[in-house]
Amino acid sequence: MGAQAFDDGVATLLASYRAIPPGATVRLAKKTSNLFRARAKNPHPGLDVSGLDRVISVDPVARTADVAGMCTYENLVAATLPYGLAPLVVPQLKTITLGGAVTGLGIESTSFRNGLPHESVLEIDVLTGDGEIITATPTNENADLFFGFPNSYGTLGYSVRLKIELEEVQPYVALRHIRFHDLHTLQTTMNTIVDERSHDGERVDYLDGTVFTSDEAYLTLGRQTDESGPVSDYTGMDIYYRSIQHESGIKRDRLTIHDYLWRWDTDWFWCSRAFGAQNPKVRRVWPKKLLRSSFYWKLIGYDQRFDVADRLNKRKGLPANERVVQDIEVPIENTTAYLDWFLENIPIEPVWLCPLRLREPALPVADVNRPWPLYPLEPHRTYVNVGFWSAVPVTPGDPGHANKLIERKVADLDGHKSLYSESFYSPDEFDELYGGEHYRLLKKRYDPRGRLLDLYAKAVKRQ
């Protein structure tokens, strides 16, 4: 991108801020989003971030990158892989932006050793609600914003530039898909791997899981390697998640590091089946360039505008759908309990598992017990992200019935839910889970005139 192009992008951003009428709510003017909750239409022009979508520079010696806030991980990875480097956590979908993963949280199969994307941020430039760009680091006068920014979803400001750590990667990833016939054994094995970072004497660099049923579940263990040899390709007819399945024991596979990082994007995990893209007859004629999550997003947007799925259901005499698209985290010791409950009560499969543990902080943190106050996971404790993305029949007279059940169960098991999708918490419940008074103090300092939406209003009230 270069410094001059970045400066031009910042100038465009600031000009668009000044064009928003005084007193009007400040929002992004993005055409795309990875959010699954409805949002009120913005009656005013939004922030023009079109010039902030690239990598500014990569320092291969220091293993860092300066990145504009709206740069997608697809562009970020394309800039770092030629140096044999990658972000410490690369979320699953190509169009997720670095700024979005930091302010809205992201996760992937390195999270059991590298935590969440915001933990590899060294410094961040933020456009506040007052139209000022400030730099926040773990130790400067804006350290409270640095630690409070994750999970704020643009309600404390928008990231303009982020400096992040990178890690060395090898050209290939060797995979082991291990089948489990009961979930408790999967849970205990996953816990041991997180602690030891190895399994059966073989190093584990990447770790996630897929649950099809209570007696068909898998952990996928990845190991970086520079050993050349045959690799699989799941960007065409072959479907990655189907390659995981086997009768018993261990199934091995190999991918390039590039294809491993984007293994879930081609079929949006398994959600492309809703569009018929996994039907062999359809897949043969489906343009390869449209086998990607960003295109499925367009189809979802079309469905939301015209209620296509609900209209088809009505013609078939079926009820409308309640969308259940969520990622939750529970402590690892509660994983089996949650999965047992979910599989019995919510008719969705498969589901994704991704263990995570906060990194050991290299620098002072705001609170050693809850370093990231708006999503207060405990240090030194292992959690498991459970992702499920589909729909269930609506419950008459109770909008959001299944999602409400999920929220209550997650809370009962000492967990949290990501806020990228629909939420139904009361204000008191929300306060307890997502920062409460700490958030209000940050809001008062960095958005004193209330130009940005409030987090509860944005996440629950869908404003």
Side-chain angles (χ1 to χ4, degrees), residues 6 25 41 139 169 194 311 315 330:
F6 173 70
T25 300
K41 185 176 177 59
T139 56
V169 292
V194 171
R311 290 185 181 189
R315 290 175 62 179
V330 292

Side-chain angles (χ1 to χ4, degrees), residues 438-457:
H438 196 112
Y439 172 76
R440 282 187 284 274
L441 291 173
L442 289 169
K443 188 73 169 171
K444 183 177 181 180
R445 180 179 180 190
Y446 292 102
D447 185 27
R449 292 186 295 156
R451 297 297 305 276
L452 305 171
L453 283 172
D454 172 77
L455 184 58
Y456 183 79

Side-chain angles (χ1 to χ4, degrees), residues 324-450:
V324 182
V325 179
Q326 305 284 359
D327 279 74
I328 64 96
E329 272 102 29
V330 292
I332 194 167
E333 63 271 19
N334 294 336
T335 304
T336 300
Y338 179 76
L339 289 171
D340 284 343
W341 174 87
F342 183 88
L343 293 172
E344 183 178 345
N345 292 277
I346 309 294
I348 292 175
E349 56 76 26
V351 300
W352 185 59
L353 306 179
C354 188
L356 70 140
R357 181 182 285 181
L358 296 181
R359 294 175 69 191
E360 294 295 326
L363 294 169
V365 298
D367 182 343
V368 294
N369 296 313
R370 300 276 174 147
W372 309 99
L374 269 60
Y375 203 75
L377 303 178
E378 296 179 21
H380 316 296
R381 190 176 192 183
T382 302
Y383 295 81
V384 175
N385 175 282
V386 185
F388 38 95
W389 317 289
S390 190
V392 301
V394 297
T395 299
D398 189 7
H401 174 76
N403 285 281
K404 294 172 188 174
L405 289 178
I406 289 165
E407 288 182 353
R408 289 198 289 270
K409 189 63 178 180
V410 171
D412 288 345
L413 295 175
D414 197 21
H416 276 77
K417 188 183 81 168
S418 297
L419 297 175
Y420 70 83
S421 189
E422 294 173 307
S423 297
F424 297 87
Y425 295 110
S426 71
D428 288 343
E429 290 171 330
F430 194 84
D431 263 13
E432 185 176 350
L433 291 168
Y434 300 106
E437 184 62 22
H438 196 112
Y439 172 76
R440 282 187 284 274
L441 291 173
L442 289 169
K443 188 73 169 171
K444 183 177 181 180
R445 180 179 180 190
Y446 292 102
D447 185 27
R449 292 186 295 156

Side-chain angles (χ1 to χ4, degrees), residues 17 83 85 128 242 314 389 405 436:
Y17 177 92
Y83 297 102
L85 300 171
T128 68
R242 289 301 183 192
K314 186 175 182 179
W389 317 289
L405 289 178

Side-chain angles (χ1 to χ4, degrees), residues 144-443:
D144 56 346
L145 180 61
F146 181 90
F147 291 105
F149 195 74
N151 209 47
S152 63
Y153 281 89
T155 65
L156 297 176
Y158 292 104
S159 57
V160 177
R161 178 193 64 89
L162 305 97
K163 184 175 183 179
I164 63 168
E165 298 175 72
L166 304 171
E167 68 174 8
E168 293 182 359
V169 292
Q170 297 295 322
Y172 305 101
V173 179
L175 300 178
R176 288 178 286 170
H177 305 303
I178 305 175
R179 176 161 179 169
F180 294 86
H181 297 274
D182 73 276
L183 296 174
H184 181 71
T185 303
L186 180 147
Q187 174 186 299
T188 56
T189 302
M190 180 164 48
N191 199 23
T192 300
I193 294 171
V194 171
D195 288 338
E196 299 180 358
R197 300 192 182 182
S198 65
H199 181 71
D200 283 348
E202 190 174 334
R203 190 182 74 249
V204 177
D205 300 312
Y206 304 99
L207 175 62
D208 64 352
T210 308
V211 177
F212 292 89
T213 66
S214 59
D215 58 3
E216 186 190 359
Y218 302 86
L219 289 179
T220 296
L221 286 51
R223 174 179 57 84
Q224 293 185 29
T225 177
D226 60 0
E227 300 170 8
S228 60
V231 292
S232 298
D233 183 351
Y234 299 106
T235 62
M237 287 298 296
D238 294 333
I239 298 169
Y240 174 71
Y241 84 99
R242 289 301 183 192
S243 76
I244 294 172
Q245 294 182 277
H246 58 278
E247 289 299 320
S248 62
I250 299 175
K251 181 180 179 181
R252 292 185 177 266
D253 199 357
R254 281 169 51 87
L255 294 172
T256 66
I257 180 65
H258 176 274
D259 285 356
Y260 176 78
L261 293 176
W262 301 128
R263 68 202 182 282
W264 292 121
D265 188 84
T266 300
D267 285 288
W268 208 0
F269 284 84
W270 31 79
C271 297
S272 67
R273 65 185 178 183
F275 312 110
Q278 294 180 26
N279 183 314
K281 293 180 179 179
V282 175
R283 200 172 183 91
R284 285 190 186 96
V285 298
W286 193 294
K288 188 172 181 178
K289 66 180 181 180
L290 300 183
L291 284 171
R292 54 181 287 142
S293 62
S294 56
F295 181 68
Y296 307 135
W297 262 112
K298 293 180 181 179
L299 298 179
I300 287 287
Y302 184 85
D303 176 60
Q304 290 176 344
R305 283 182 62 191
F306 300 105
D307 295 323
V308 176
D310 287 348
R311 290 185 181 189
L312 291 174
N313 280 354
K314 186 175 182 179
R315 290 175 62 179
K316 298 175 183 177
L318 299 174
N321 288 327
E322 175 188 347
R323 189 170 56 192
V324 182
V325 179
Q326 305 284 359
D327 279 74
I328 64 96
E329 272 102 29
V330 292
I332 194 167
E333 63 271 19
N334 294 336
T335 304
T336 300
Y338 179 76
L339 289 171
D340 284 343
W341 174 87
F342 183 88
L343 293 172
E344 183 178 345
N345 292 277
I346 309 294
I348 292 175
E349 56 76 26
V351 300
W352 185 59
L353 306 179
C354 188
L356 70 140
R357 181 182 285 181
L358 296 181
R359 294 175 69 191
E360 294 295 326
L363 294 169
V365 298
D367 182 343
V368 294
N369 296 313
R370 300 276 174 147
W372 309 99
L374 269 60
Y375 203 75
L377 303 178
E378 296 179 21
H380 316 296
R381 190 176 192 183
T382 302
Y383 295 81
V384 175
N385 175 282
V386 185
F388 38 95
W389 317 289
S390 190
V392 301
V394 297
T395 299
D398 189 7
H401 174 76
N403 285 281
K404 294 172 188 174
L405 289 178
I406 289 165
E407 288 182 353
R408 289 198 289 270
K409 189 63 178 180
V410 171
D412 288 345
L413 295 175
D414 197 21
H416 276 77
K417 188 183 81 168
S418 297
L419 297 175
Y420 70 83
S421 189
E422 294 173 307
S423 297
F424 297 87
Y425 295 110
S426 71
D428 288 343
E429 290 171 330
F430 194 84
D431 263 13
E432 185 176 350
L433 291 168
Y434 300 106
E437 184 62 22
H438 196 112
Y439 172 76
R440 282 187 284 274
L441 291 173
L442 289 169
K443 188 73 169 171

